[in-house]
Amino acid sequence: KLPKSFIYRTKTGFNPPLDGIIDSFTTTELKQLFEDSKLYHYLSETYCNKVIIDHIEKNANNTYKIYQLLFLSKWLTAND
């Protein structure tokens, strides 16, 4: 039997270790991933580059924003 405190505890999520994955890319590699995708058809290149530069220069932690944009680009590519 499981204790009631375990069964009725509040829901928690799981965050994958994206910081290490995104941080392993260089600025050039990230820009190339964005360029190879269809993102520039939907978002401005200036905006995408700002997200990347701000993250690389540690002005902002854009890990999840970059991940979501790359995921979106894969989805757009897969649905050609």
Side-chain angles (χ1 to χ4, degrees):
K1 291 187 172 186
L2 295 173
K4 286 184 180 183
S5 62
F6 182 79
I7 295 171
Y8 296 107
R9 68 183 180 179
T10 57
K11 182 179 175 182
T12 59
F14 169 76
N15 291 327
L18 292 177
D19 284 320
I21 295 167
I22 298 297
D23 290 345
S24 70
F25 289 98
T26 65
T27 304
T28 305
E29 291 169 333
L30 284 173
K31 285 182 179 180
Q32 190 63 49
L33 285 171
F34 279 46
E35 191 175 304
D36 292 344
S37 71
K38 294 184 171 203
L39 280 177
Y40 293 153
H41 295 211
Y42 301 94
L43 300 171
S44 76
E45 186 174 349
T46 304
Y47 170 78
C48 292
N49 287 339
K50 179 167 177 27
V51 169
I52 292 168
I53 298 297
D54 283 349
H55 182 79
I56 296 295
E57 292 180 353
K58 307 234 184 282
N59 295 329
N61 184 348
N62 288 331
T63 296
Y64 286 96
K65 191 177 288 187
I66 291 169
Y67 171 76
Q68 290 169 341
L69 290 171
L70 290 173
F71 193 90
L72 173 63
S73 73
K74 292 297 182 186
W75 183 82
L76 291 169
T77 304
N79 292 305
D80 277 342

